[in-house]
Amino acid sequence: MRKACWSKVCLIVVTMLAGGCASSKPTVGDTMLLQGETARELSKKWNEGNSLLIEGEELKKKGQKMIEDGKDKIEEADVMISEGKRMMETSEKTFAEKFPNMAPPR
């Protein structure tokens, strides 16, 4: 970026000096050269922005997929927790019925 700006400044100074010596307007070629440099810089910025956009969209998709996967895992965990609690309660109740004189260890 700095190199491109420095190149532009040098080109403008040289053009002004040459123009000052010759006392003439910049040529069509000089104008085209300046526009070409600006267009090149703008296209480079646009391409960088486009790359960031694409990368950001892909990252967002991955993040959304991870959120969905996480929600599925939470739902699965909740089912496992409920089933585990139910099994423990059933086991304690059955133990108390089969061995009424013994309290289950805690």
Side-chain angles (χ1 to χ4, degrees):
M1 180 71 174
R2 287 185 172 200
K3 185 178 181 182
C5 289
W6 184 248
S7 297
K8 241 168 134 176
V9 170
C10 288
L11 183 63
I12 290 170
V13 169
V14 168
T15 303
M16 287 174 50
L17 289 174
C21 294
S23 297
S24 64
K25 293 182 181 179
T27 64
V28 173
D30 293 335
T31 304
M32 291 172 70
L33 185 60
L34 287 173
Q35 289 176 349
E37 188 70 30
T38 301
R40 196 172 312 125
E41 286 178 26
L42 290 173
S43 67
K44 182 179 177 186
K45 284 283 189 194
W46 189 93
N47 286 331
E48 288 173 5
N50 188 50
S51 294
L52 282 174
L53 177 108
I54 291 168
E55 187 177 340
E57 287 176 342
E58 289 174 1
L59 186 60
K60 186 174 182 177
K61 283 180 188 176
K62 286 179 184 178
Q64 289 172 334
K65 174 76 170 117
M66 290 173 75
I67 289 169
E68 290 301 316
D69 290 346
K71 286 179 181 179
D72 291 344
K73 288 184 184 290
I74 289 170
E75 191 174 309
E76 183 181 344
D78 287 341
V79 169
M80 292 171 72
I81 290 168
S82 293
E83 181 65 16
K85 285 181 180 179
R86 187 195 59 75
M87 290 172 71
M88 290 169 64
E89 289 171 1
T90 302
S91 294
E92 287 178 18
K93 183 179 177 185
T94 303
F95 183 85
E97 290 171 357
K98 291 193 181 267
F99 305 99
N101 295 333
M102 296 182 69
R106 292 244 172 196

